[in-house]
Amino acid sequence: MNLLKTRLSKVSNTIAILTFLFVSSVLGQVTGTTSSDVNRPQEVDQAERAVNEITAKSGILFKQGLLNMQDNRRSQAGEDFNKSVEVFLMSGVNVSRNGKLQGCYNQLIETVYRIEFPSNAQQPNIRSLSATCGWTIDNDLADKVAKIVLTVPSEINSNTNAVIAAGSNGTQINQTQGFNEQKFEASPLDELAKLELTPEEQQIENNPVAQQQYQYIQYAVSNKSLGFNFQVHPMIQQFVNYYQGRGKGTMETGLYRSGMFMRMARRIFREEGIPENVAWLAQVESAWKPQAMSWASASGLWQFIPGTGIRYGLRRTPHLDERNSFEKATRASAQYLKFLANRYGGNWELAMGAYNCGEGNVDKAIRRAGVANFWAAYQYLPQETRNYVPNILATILIANNPNQYGFGHVRPAPQLMYDQIRVPASTSLSLLAQASDTTVEYLRYLNPELRTNMSPPEPYIVRVPSGKANEVVAVFRKYPKANLNTASIAQTSVGESWQNIANRTGVSVEELMAANDGKIVPTGKIIVPTKGNNVQNTNYSRPTNPIPIMPTNGKVRVVKAKSGDTVTKVAEREGISALELAKYNGLLPTSILPAGREIKIPSR
């Protein structure tokens, strides 16, 4: 991980490092600074009652979720768990300032995540959650649900074992895990495993064009023009034939999307000492889609399974799945390929094969073949791996000479440009979106490793639109004392006064000036403090899912906020639940909206 952090300093994009002063205040019991000693016990009692009511209501919903899990009603269980968390979010109490509430809330988030995404390595500790929150949940029920979520379906058998052999620490991912049917961008590898070349695609000798192209492969290998050696085999040309025919659309899409990431991939592979052309492996793995996922829960551009990702420093927590990171996963992939190439004496066909099915399967195939040669071991390898290696080699050949293969018309997409900044722990993406003049949805697109609309509970480097880093840094640096996650950002107009802003935001002049370091005249972007909760909403859908929470017919209206609007006020005008509207727009129900802010209203 230290190596990854060191390498990040070489990224060509702007990296602005923010230093923040953290002032933590722990509110064990609520006391009033203006109250007398006589009144203080009554205030403490009221505060304790409020805390107990919140935890008790949340516990009832969580237990109902467990009962639904026990009866295999996963969708209903997911709704119950969501509502259990929403009790905290909608309470109006600053959860982060009360030790009991914060402990219960944080452990609830962790436990629900472990129920939805189970692993043998990190099991849901329902008993501990119950004790922390003061709930009376039967131990038998807790243990039964913990056992249910770790059950692996029987249809994931030999293929799963092959995946685990590729470096997993024993973690098994249930294909049907989660509270609802899994939805994601399918990895092209799922189809590759079943692909059978037609007789026409296999034909080379009686196809003059294929013969000429096959001779080119021999020439390219002999003069080492691709940067690494491999053995010429007819099956490579057969996959070229496939891509020139029924696979043409797949190749066109991959060549186009490669423009977004290939420059970054080549740079990192070069830094790690890997032939740059090997980076085309990502086109076969994911078609350059950062949120691609296979049937075996391999994820990201480079399709790491959880175990192998952990081996190479890619964390997977309730807040992050770094297998979906652009830079970190690319470097991990290069390091893994380097390890495999060294293992097989520089034989890149074997290294690529092991990347697909694991070192154990390749070692076994080599022993059975009696020689460390991919084509000799070919018949002993899994079907997917037999297709995988010649597919990558064919892709490399086409990508390096698209005109010769009929793909000269494809123009790669522009490189995905962004700046990177270091933000404090648990920073709201809604706040970052306002500071960088973009949307939460686009920030999620730039940061596919984030599981929620909040950065992880640690200082973390996030991506913002290109050219916006300095602007975001300036906003944060000007207001180090403000509790930014309980605030929003507003753009001021030339000549506008604090009173004007107070009128349109509903926040007093005194509060506005205090949050903005006592500035006499408002200029540029300013902080608008909001009242209520300091906990941002958490969406339990997979990060590959689009959010809308509300059922829609696919149509979305856009309305503009009026002066003094909040999400709740807009929701009331539109006859929509404030909570659901907030989720749909990546905001809080209490968020204050600047005049003119566009709010999406899904049609029912």
Side-chain angles (χ1 to χ4, degrees):
M1 183 59 68
N2 289 334
L3 177 60
L4 293 179
K5 291 180 178 178
T6 301
R7 295 291 189 183
L8 279 171
S9 64
K10 298 181 180 180
V11 178
S12 59
N13 299 312
T14 305
I15 300 183
I17 305 299
L18 307 182
T19 303
F20 290 87
L21 298 176
F22 294 95
V23 180
S24 59
S25 59
V26 179
L27 184 62
Q29 292 182 333
V30 179
T31 60
T33 56
T34 60
S35 301
S36 65
D37 292 339
V38 175
N39 293 331
R40 187 172 301 162
Q42 183 178 357
E43 293 178 357
V44 171
D45 289 342
Q46 290 175 346
E48 288 181 349
R49 280 198 299 272
V51 167
N52 291 336
E53 287 175 5
I54 293 168
T55 55
K57 187 175 180 180
S58 176
I60 292 170
L61 291 164
F62 182 81
K63 183 176 181 179
Q64 184 60 47
L66 296 180
L67 293 171
N68 278 320
M69 283 292 295
Q70 179 182 248
D71 296 336
N72 199 31
R73 294 193 292 265
R74 300 182 68 86
S75 179
Q76 295 93 320
E79 292 179 7
D80 291 332
F81 293 143
N82 266 323
K83 291 176 182 177
S84 178
V85 174
E86 287 167 1
V87 169
F88 290 87
L89 300 176
M90 301 302 295
S91 67
V93 174
N94 193 328
V95 173
S96 66
R97 296 187 64 197
N98 182 280
K100 179 178 179 180
L101 285 182
Q102 186 174 35
C104 180
Y105 175 82
N106 289 342
Q107 197 164 343
L108 175 61
I109 292 288
E110 170 76 13
T111 304
V112 171
Y113 170 76
R114 294 299 169 199
I115 292 174
E116 184 174 10
F117 299 97
S119 78
N120 291 323
Q122 293 177 298
Q123 301 178 17
N125 195 336
I126 300 170
R127 287 194 182 194
S128 176
L129 171 65
S130 179
T132 298
C133 298
W135 297 339
T136 54
I137 294 176
D138 185 73
N139 287 339
D140 289 340
L141 174 61
D143 295 344
K144 186 177 293 185
V145 171
K147 183 177 181 180
I148 288 172
V149 299
L150 291 175
T151 302
V152 179
S154 59
E155 60 265 24
I156 304 180
N157 42 40
S158 58
N159 288 331
T160 300
N161 293 333
V163 172
I164 292 174
S168 173
N169 60 355
T171 299
Q172 294 184 343
I173 301 300
N174 186 340
Q175 187 180 9
T176 57
Q177 71 183 120
F179 302 127
N180 299 289
E181 182 182 356
Q182 186 173 11
K183 298 177 182 178
F184 48 81
E185 292 186 87
S187 164
L189 284 179
D190 291 342
E191 291 299 319
L192 179 63
K194 300 177 287 186
L195 180 63
E196 294 184 6
L197 296 170
T198 65
E200 291 77 13
E201 291 163 349
Q202 295 178 39
Q203 185 59 251
I204 298 177
E205 292 183 2
N206 298 325
N207 184 333
V209 174
Q211 278 187 326
Q212 184 180 5
Q213 291 173 348
Y214 190 49
Q215 291 172 0
Y216 169 75
I217 297 175
Q218 296 170 322
Y219 171 75
V221 170
S222 64
N223 70 5
K224 302 179 182 179
S225 62
L226 297 175
F228 68 102
N229 291 324
F230 58 90
Q231 183 177 338
V232 179
H233 191 278
M235 197 171 180
I236 301 172
Q237 179 59 44
Q238 290 170 4
F239 267 96
V240 170
N241 294 345
Y242 163 77
Y243 280 122
Q244 290 177 315
R246 60 186 174 125
K248 186 174 183 179
T250 301
M251 177 58 66
E252 289 175 333
T253 300
L255 291 176
Y256 171 77
R257 290 187 59 84
S258 70
M260 302 171 69
F261 302 103
M262 194 58 184
R263 186 181 299 179
M264 176 266 296
R266 283 185 179 278
R267 173 181 56 78
I268 291 176
F269 272 50
R270 184 169 61 250
E271 291 171 356
E272 294 294 338
I274 304 298
E276 293 179 32
N277 271 319
V278 176
W280 286 102
L281 173 146
Q283 180 156 318
V284 176
E285 287 281 353
S286 68
W288 300 103
K289 296 177 181 179
Q291 292 180 327
M293 184 176 288
S294 75
W295 66 269
S297 287
S299 184
L301 288 172
W302 306 95
Q303 290 292 284
F304 276 101
I305 61 171
T308 311
I310 290 171
R311 280 173 56 184
Y312 288 89
L314 302 178
R315 292 179 295 166
R316 190 165 177 264
T317 74
H319 313 281
L320 287 170
D321 189 342
E322 291 182 334
R323 297 178 300 160
N324 297 102
S325 168
F326 302 151
E327 301 86 357
K328 291 182 180 179
T330 300
R331 193 168 300 282
S333 175
Q335 291 171 351
Y336 185 33
L337 284 164
K338 187 174 184 177
F339 162 77
L340 293 171
N342 290 335
R343 183 184 182 96
Y344 298 112
N347 186 308
W348 281 102
E349 294 110 303
L350 291 174
M352 292 174 183
Y355 191 98
N356 176 249
C357 69
E359 305 99 291
N361 280 321
V362 171
D363 291 348
K364 187 187 301 181
I366 290 173
R367 287 195 298 270
R368 295 181 69 181
V371 59
N373 178 284
F374 176 81
W375 297 107
Y378 177 87
Q379 61 181 319
Y380 305 115
L381 290 166
Q383 178 61 40
E384 180 180 311
T385 308
R386 298 180 199 176
N387 287 341
Y388 180 82
V389 173
N391 194 334
I392 293 174
L393 297 175
T395 298
I396 291 172
L397 287 161
I398 293 172
N400 277 269
N401 199 342
N403 288 317
Q404 174 175 319
Y405 291 103
F407 293 94
H409 62 286
V410 180
R411 292 190 176 185
Q415 181 183 3
L416 185 63
M417 301 296 291
Y418 48 82
D419 294 344
Q420 296 187 82
I421 61 174
R422 189 177 179 88
V423 300
S426 302
T427 296
S428 165
L429 294 193
S430 177
L431 185 76
L432 282 174
Q434 294 172 60
S436 56
D437 299 317
T438 188
T439 63
V440 171
E441 289 80 3
Y442 188 62
L443 288 182
R444 290 295 295 270
Y445 176 76
L446 289 179
N447 297 274
E449 68 269 36
L450 298 182
R451 289 186 177 275
T452 72
N453 289 343
M454 185 179 286
S455 70
E458 63 188 62
Y460 195 77
I461 293 175
V462 300
R463 304 173 196 87
V464 296
S466 180
K468 290 294 182 179
N470 290 338
E471 193 171 337
V472 176
V473 170
V475 171
F476 277 71
R477 278 181 175 166
K478 281 193 289 187
Y479 314 108
K481 298 177 183 178
N483 191 343
L484 293 174
N485 278 349
T486 59
S488 60
I489 294 174
Q491 180 67 50
T492 62
S493 302
V494 177
E496 193 170 23
S497 68
W498 285 118
Q499 187 59 56
N500 294 141
I501 299 171
N503 292 341
R504 66 182 171 90
T505 61
V507 179
S508 71
V509 170
E510 292 76 14
E511 290 174 310
L512 287 169
M513 292 184 69
N516 290 275
D517 223 14
K519 290 175 61 174
I520 303 301
V521 178
T523 56
K525 288 186 171 70
I526 62 164
I527 296 295
V528 179
T530 60
K531 300 176 181 180
N533 209 317
N534 190 34
V535 179
Q536 305 298 302
N537 205 346
T538 301
N539 172 33
Y540 293 107
S541 299
R542 285 173 179 75
T544 49
N545 287 357
I547 292 186
I549 302 299
M550 302 172 65
T552 75
N553 59 11
K555 298 180 181 179
V556 176
R557 293 187 297 110
V558 176
V559 300
K560 291 188 176 181
K562 301 176 182 178
S563 176
D565 266 351
T566 64
V567 171
T568 299
K569 289 182 180 179
V570 175
E572 290 173 353
R573 275 204 306 270
E574 298 294 331
I576 296 174
S577 162
L579 178 60
E580 291 175 336
L581 185 63
K583 287 181 178 179
Y584 194 77
N585 287 273
L587 300 167
L588 289 174
T590 55
S591 293
I592 295 174
L593 305 174
R597 168 72 183 265
E598 292 186 346
I599 299 294
K600 292 177 291 184
I601 310 294
S603 301
R604 294 183 181 277

